[in-house]
Amino acid sequence: MRRAVLVLAVLAGAVGSGASASAATPPPGAAISDSLEYIGRVPNSSRIVEGKFDTVAGRDVLVTTGRYGFRTYDVTDESDPKPLDTFQPSRILGENGYWQDEDMELDLRRKLIIGALDPRHDDVDQVSCPGIGTLGSKNRNPNCRSGFFIISYADPTNLKQIGDFVDVPAGHTTSCVDGCNYVWTGGPARRDDLAYLGPFTPGGRGDGRPIWVTNIKDPAHPETFSKPIDLNRNDGATDYSHDVDVDANGIAWVSGRGGLRGFATSGKWRDPVTDRVRPAKPWDPVLVAGGGLPGGDNGVAQPQTDFIHNAARPLNGKIHASGVPDANIALMTEEDFTGPCDQGGRIVAADITSSLGGEGSTNSTPEHPFRMTALDSFHPARNAPESQSPNEECSAHYFEVSGSTLGAAWYNQGLRVIDASNARDLRQVGYYYVNGTDPATNPSSLSWDTAWRGDLVYLFDMDRGIEILRLKGGPSASATLATVREPRARPDRLAKVPVAGSGLTSGSLVCPLFAAQ
């Protein structure tokens, strides 16, 4: 693939107008593949974590979350989002003190945001916060809470909180199950006031919070069940349940330390623990599949810790692997910051066939571990080193699937577009990142999540804000695109390294850590 000299231009302050806006000049220090067009950057949108789309009363809306709380945009012109409202839901939080709602959930039916509040929010002194994880404790410091808020976006110009803050012993992510009648809340890492969940070593095996279940059929009066679920997930130890992704068949896939596990929340299933058929309920689900992942070229980089961050089980018939039923392919992100860069977390495709029924994960022990079959993995520094950013935060983060195409956010490695049509051969077909030239106006990429909107991919970057790119031909054409490895522009050798304190340089934003922010 050709190299070309990137013309340095004044950074555009806003994206172009018009629903089919033409490509803009990428910012200084950008590297971008020929398969992508740079559309622009939304002004004043930094400190964002992620965003999701909906239509409200005929208006196309982007709902976002970040350190600022929640913000809505009008995306009638998809290439030129217009801010509608911003809402920070609690007076105890600073202006940019919300943390972290890493996988914000939308109840599309009732137009509700389910926003998790991690116990590490704002500038709380964690040493002075006893009782985090003790449901309903009367002695808790009110600044030391975790759980979630419910926010109405029925009027996206006037965001409103529904009911009180929902106090839960976890709070890194909250996800809908059973049509959002119930939500599952998990993470982050444990404190010693959660020792009743079993033995753990801080920073090691067992150091994490499982899932708590809340009934939100009446969103103004939620009810949290006292007993957590997704226990014993890591070779028999209760560990970090990080995030939940529900597939088109209603199976809830829980990512975390110890791998990926799938639960039924309705219908009758054979419980692998009791070997009896019983009804599955959101507060008492049945494990039906999943387990840990092996190491090696196709598997995870760090099988000893095996921290699966998020996942998808696409059931659209677009992703295949020879010898594997389409429905038995799962895609997942490993989050790991081990250096050097090529040892960081990957995106992995796995065959779940051997795990069906749940016995594998149920009976797995450190002495006799069960592991699913890895099909392939991708990491920029391992598989496309010429397109690697010189910045060193090299773990994969959230991705979104459109057809067989992944739009993957990769911290300092920016956006990676991956063709997964053949899950045995994950191919990079596009990339974009910025090696920044100015911390205030043109920082380096610190990418957290993505969202597809037709042929546009929205990149949500903690430092850069919302950036919009177009994949030429759209996601449906990715299987026909060439594998790309080489950057279109050499990074600026004089560009600054990631800004101290803005993101991962302090290590405080890595999901498994429990530390004051």
Side-chain angles (χ1 to χ4, degrees):
M1 180 179 177
R2 67 184 178 85
R3 293 183 185 268
V5 176
L6 180 65
V7 177
L8 300 184
V10 176
L11 181 65
V15 298
S17 60
S20 57
S22 59
T25 301
I32 185 169
S33 63
D34 284 335
S35 56
L36 289 167
E37 294 177 333
Y38 186 79
I39 303 302
R41 179 180 173 194
V42 178
N44 304 314
S45 58
S46 65
R47 299 181 181 270
I48 192 170
V49 170
E50 77 131 331
K52 288 183 168 69
F53 293 100
D54 194 10
T55 301
V56 183
R59 170 187 269 170
D60 291 330
V61 173
L62 171 65
V63 181
T64 73
T65 187
R67 299 301 298 250
Y68 47 77
F70 304 94
R71 185 174 295 154
T72 50
Y73 292 86
D74 185 317
V75 286
T76 302
D77 180 347
E78 297 172 332
S79 64
D80 189 16
K82 300 294 187 184
L84 296 173
D85 195 22
T86 298
F87 181 72
Q88 182 69 289
S90 175
R91 64 179 180 273
I92 70 166
L93 299 174
E95 181 181 359
N96 287 297
Y98 200 96
W99 189 258
Q100 177 190 15
D101 195 22
E102 192 171 52
D103 190 11
M104 174 188 64
E105 191 70 89
L106 297 186
D107 180 345
L108 302 179
R109 174 172 56 91
R110 295 181 290 182
K111 308 305 178 188
L112 299 175
I113 304 167
I114 318 298
L117 186 71
D118 191 295
R120 299 170 291 179
H121 61 78
D122 214 348
D123 58 349
V124 173
D125 175 10
Q126 298 296 326
V127 176
S128 66
C129 287
I132 291 179
T134 306
L135 189 64
S137 170
K138 296 181 180 179
N139 299 318
R140 295 180 64 185
N141 180 335
N143 292 344
C144 301
R145 52 190 174 172
S146 62
F148 61 90
F149 293 95
I150 300 178
I151 312 293
S152 172
Y153 66 98
D155 178 358
T157 67
N158 186 21
L159 299 174
K160 292 183 177 181
Q161 183 173 328
I162 305 297
D164 296 327
F165 175 75
V166 185
D167 201 317
V168 181
H172 190 65
T173 64
T174 298
S175 306
C176 288
V177 300
D178 190 45
C180 227
N181 289 315
Y182 297 84
V183 294
W184 289 6
T185 303
R190 276 200 254 170
R191 293 163 55 102
D192 57 8
D193 53 2
L194 282 161
Y196 70 91
L197 293 170
F200 70 99
T201 302
R205 183 170 177 266
D207 181 17
R209 304 172 194 225
I211 297 285
W212 271 267
V213 183
T214 305
N215 180 336
I216 62 166
K217 290 181 180 179
D218 178 356
H221 302 94
E223 298 178 349
T224 298
F225 293 80
S226 60
K227 294 182 179 180
I229 62 173
D230 193 31
L231 307 178
N232 310 316
R233 68 166 3 261
N234 188 358
D235 294 338
T238 295
D239 214 322
Y240 195 137
S241 302
H242 179 265
D243 198 12
V244 182
D245 299 273
V246 179
D247 68 28
N249 287 347
I251 302 301
W253 294 91
V254 184
S255 305
R257 188 178 284 117
L260 177 69
R261 305 215 298 172
F263 291 89
T265 60
S266 63
K268 290 186 176 182
W269 301 78
R270 186 182 60 80
D271 189 328
V273 177
T274 64
D275 198 29
R276 294 181 178 178
V277 175
R278 67 170 178 88
K281 302 293 184 181
W283 61 91
D284 189 18
V286 176
L287 179 66
V288 296
L293 275 297
D297 287 342
N298 293 333
V300 294
Q302 306 299 330
Q304 295 81 14
T305 53
D306 190 18
F307 189 84
I308 300 304
H309 184 269
N310 59 286
R313 180 201 182 196
L315 296 172
N316 57 17
K318 303 292 186 181
I319 296 175
H320 316 285
S322 60
V324 181
D326 290 352
N328 290 359
I329 299 171
L331 304 169
M332 62 201 79
T333 295
E334 173 195 23
E335 185 176 48
D336 189 275
F337 295 92
T338 301
C341 182
D342 63 2
Q343 298 301 307
R346 311 169 181 175
I347 284 180
V348 180
D351 175 6
I352 67 171
T353 303
S354 64
S355 76
L356 296 177
E359 286 91 347
S361 179
T362 298
N363 299 321
S364 187
T365 66
E367 296 75 23
H368 302 285
F370 168 79
R371 300 293 182 259
M372 295 187 291
T373 302
L375 298 171
D376 196 20
S377 71
F378 175 82
H379 188 282
R382 294 178 66 250
N383 304 105
E386 296 85 355
S387 70
Q388 175 186 339
S389 166
N391 297 314
E392 285 295 310
E393 297 296 351
C394 296
S395 177
H397 207 234
Y398 277 98
F399 66 85
E400 181 168 309
V401 181
S402 178
S404 63
T405 308
L406 279 63
W410 218 291
Y411 285 120
N412 283 161
Q413 299 299 314
L415 170 67
R416 302 290 162 157
V417 182
I418 299 170
D419 168 39
S421 56
N422 178 2
R424 294 187 183 276
D425 183 20
L426 302 178
R427 301 185 308 116
Q428 177 175 267
V429 296
Y431 58 85
Y432 164 79
Y433 65 82
V434 177
N435 190 25
T437 56
D438 183 270
T441 63
N442 187 38
S444 296
S445 295
L446 185 59
S447 302
W448 285 55
D449 206 346
T450 67
W452 289 102
R453 188 75 170 170
D455 62 352
L456 299 179
V457 57
Y458 284 61
L459 180 62
F460 305 117
D461 189 289
M462 176 64 75
D463 285 352
R464 297 188 57 78
I466 303 171
E467 294 189 279
I468 305 173
L469 299 99
R470 177 182 291 117
L471 180 63
K472 297 177 182 178
S476 61
S478 71
T480 66
L481 295 175
T483 301
V484 294
R485 297 186 176 89
E486 193 172 334
R488 196 166 106 189
R490 295 182 184 274
D492 183 349
R493 291 181 302 164
L494 302 180
K496 297 183 181 296
V497 298
V499 182
S502 68
L504 295 171
T505 52
S506 66
S508 64
L509 306 192
V510 180
C511 293
L513 293 183
F514 193 102
Q517 297 301 307

